[in-house]
Amino acid sequence: MTVNNKRVFYVKYLAHEIYVDIMKARADVRLDRLENESPDAVAAPILSAAHAYQVGAARDEIARHFHVDQDLLRRAPNLLIVSSNGAGFDPVDVDACTAAGVLVVNQSGGNANSVAEHALGMMLTLSKRILESDRALRRQANVNRNTLIGNEVQGKTVGIVGIGNVGRRVAELCNGLLHMKVIAYDPYLSAEEIAARGGEKVELHDLMRRSDFVSISCPLTKDNRRMIGAREFALMQPHAFFITTARGFIHDEEALYEALRDKRIAGAGLDVWDKEPPPPEHPLLQFDNVLASPHTAGVTKEARVNMGKIAAEQILEALDGKRPPRIVNPEVWPDYARRFERTFGFAPK
């Protein structure tokens, strides 16, 4: 295999066309596009030759046979690196990649400001009852504004679950702009690290109990699936709001429905779902105090450009033999380095 024959492919879409522009500027890189419906006769040779796969981060937008699992890894024996379009990596079996010596990276941080602004917008909209007011005005005459009294967020407590790139920006906005108290649950960070990011470290049950707003901003992993369930919702205060811009399956949708139905919490802002997009008849969409969006928190013009640029540059760094940032499975590096050297004839740095 020649050194200057680097094969990259993607399925259906990219974060932004800037990715294509950056790749096309490199004569040593071939970029292939597949569709969800691409027949095996077209897809098989591309998978077989591929060194890198730029995969969509939304699990329901990529056909199941293009999710990165043991089957796809068998069909792509030369694959060295999988790069997710976003901070999440739902369509990627990280353990299977690690076992196969495949590096997994994401674009964590590329859309952090967009997602944090979305979470903040949901927080303000729910607290000020803007959504309920809008719906009331559209449905009835002579609306009594005294039935729609909201609350200020200043001085309230926001509990952030996962204070990484997005959570840190949420904390910054809530601290500096709104003068709120920030508490955070993140088992991977020390109290000192969380304090440096603007929060007080607490355990999850304390966060659920103390927060006026619970904001979820952690990635979905095998360890936190259904982490927020009936027990956690039962700890929340009746006036508190639940907001998630993270990933579906971190919270239990049925348990949230029951908490809202029984008025055990004040409302919810939901950008992520078990099934995306959710159908119009979804039970959670029937509440006037549920603010919903179809996983668009990170979908802004600015974020899309940033994500596309980061993704392309990160893939090229890896294919040039450099250690890329944002590695999801760093423990795979020795196996990956050996496979890279066999492929390209030199060891990555």
Side-chain angles (χ1 to χ4, degrees):
M1 184 177 294
T2 59
V3 172
N4 295 322
N5 186 22
K6 298 166 182 175
R7 301 287 297 272
V8 182
F9 82 98
Y10 66 99
V11 177
K12 189 176 179 180
Y13 77 103
L14 294 162
H16 193 271
E17 283 302 305
I18 194 172
Y19 185 99
V20 176
D21 296 339
I22 292 172
M23 289 295 183
K24 283 186 175 180
R26 288 282 297 261
D28 60 337
V29 174
R30 171 175 164 173
L31 180 64
D32 289 300
R33 171 175 174 159
L34 292 172
E35 303 295 338
N36 278 335
E37 303 79 16
S38 293
D40 192 57
V42 173
I46 290 175
L47 265 65
S48 179
H51 302 121
Y53 179 10
Q54 186 67 47
V55 64
R59 62 186 175 274
D60 294 323
E61 291 183 351
I62 301 295
R64 188 66 188 82
H65 57 277
F66 286 126
H67 285 207
V68 185
D69 54 17
Q70 290 182 343
D71 177 63
L72 183 135
L73 292 169
R74 281 193 293 269
R75 291 182 286 144
N78 294 300
L79 195 64
L80 293 168
I81 183 167
V82 172
S83 173
S84 166
N85 276 348
F89 38 89
D90 292 12
V92 180
D93 183 335
V94 177
D95 289 341
C97 287
T98 301
V102 174
L103 199 68
V104 179
V105 297
N106 63 6
Q107 275 72 72
S108 179
N111 63 359
N113 189 66
S114 293
V115 177
E117 287 184 0
H118 199 93
L120 191 65
M122 284 184 153
M123 191 183 306
L124 291 168
T125 299
L126 289 165
S127 186
K128 295 284 291 180
R129 300 184 70 179
I130 296 171
L131 177 66
E132 293 174 79
S133 298
D134 178 87
R135 289 176 175 174
L137 283 173
R138 294 171 189 275
R139 291 173 181 170
Q140 55 188 280
N142 303 315
V143 172
N144 182 357
R145 64 178 183 167
N146 292 314
T147 65
L148 294 164
I149 296 175
N151 290 283
E152 294 182 356
V153 300
Q154 179 173 291
K156 302 298 193 300
T157 297
V158 57
I160 301 172
V161 178
I163 192 164
N165 290 298
V166 173
R168 183 186 336 201
R169 182 61 176 150
V170 172
E172 183 180 21
L173 291 170
C174 289
N175 273 318
L177 183 65
L178 299 173
H179 304 291
M180 301 177 73
K181 178 175 179 56
V182 177
I183 61 177
Y185 169 69
D186 195 318
Y188 303 103
L189 297 175
S190 67
E192 292 74 21
E193 289 170 319
I194 289 177
R197 300 180 184 201
E200 172 195 343
K201 183 177 175 69
V202 297
E203 295 303 318
L204 181 60
H205 63 276
D206 287 330
L207 182 145
M208 303 301 293
R209 187 162 34 231
R210 291 171 53 185
S211 298
D212 300 299
F213 302 89
V214 173
S215 181
I216 311 297
S217 58
C218 57
L220 175 65
T221 69
K222 61 183 179 181
D223 298 321
N224 66 13
R225 197 176 182 89
R226 306 290 193 218
M227 176 175 63
I228 310 297
R231 180 175 59 181
E232 287 69 32
F233 287 122
L235 293 172
M236 290 179 66
Q237 303 177 73
H239 68 267
F241 295 95
F242 176 78
I243 295 163
T244 178
T245 53
R247 279 294 187 273
F249 294 109
I250 293 175
H251 69 281
D252 185 318
E253 288 188 348
E254 184 176 352
L256 175 58
Y257 169 81
E258 292 173 355
L260 289 163
R261 180 197 62 196
D262 298 341
K263 303 187 186 308
R264 295 199 298 271
I265 64 174
L270 307 174
D271 183 56
V272 292
W273 307 81
D274 289 0
K275 169 79 172 122
E276 295 182 344
E281 64 274 13
H282 193 292
L284 287 168
L285 293 177
Q286 312 315 309
F287 294 104
D288 280 350
N289 58 343
V290 169
L291 177 60
S293 54
H295 206 156
T296 55
V299 183
T300 62
K301 293 177 181 178
E302 297 83 357
R304 280 291 174 88
V305 172
N306 197 32
M307 299 288 271
K309 185 173 182 289
I310 289 172
E313 291 175 347
Q314 188 161 251
I315 284 285
L316 292 177
E317 282 184 10
L319 293 178
D320 286 343
K322 300 173 184 177
R323 185 182 177 104
R326 307 177 188 88
I327 298 175
V328 175
N329 57 343
E331 68 276 14
V332 81
W333 186 263
D335 289 342
Y336 163 80
R338 285 190 289 270
R339 295 184 65 241
F340 185 97
E341 185 172 12
R342 286 197 301 269
T343 300
F344 293 118
F346 66 98
K349 297 178 181 179

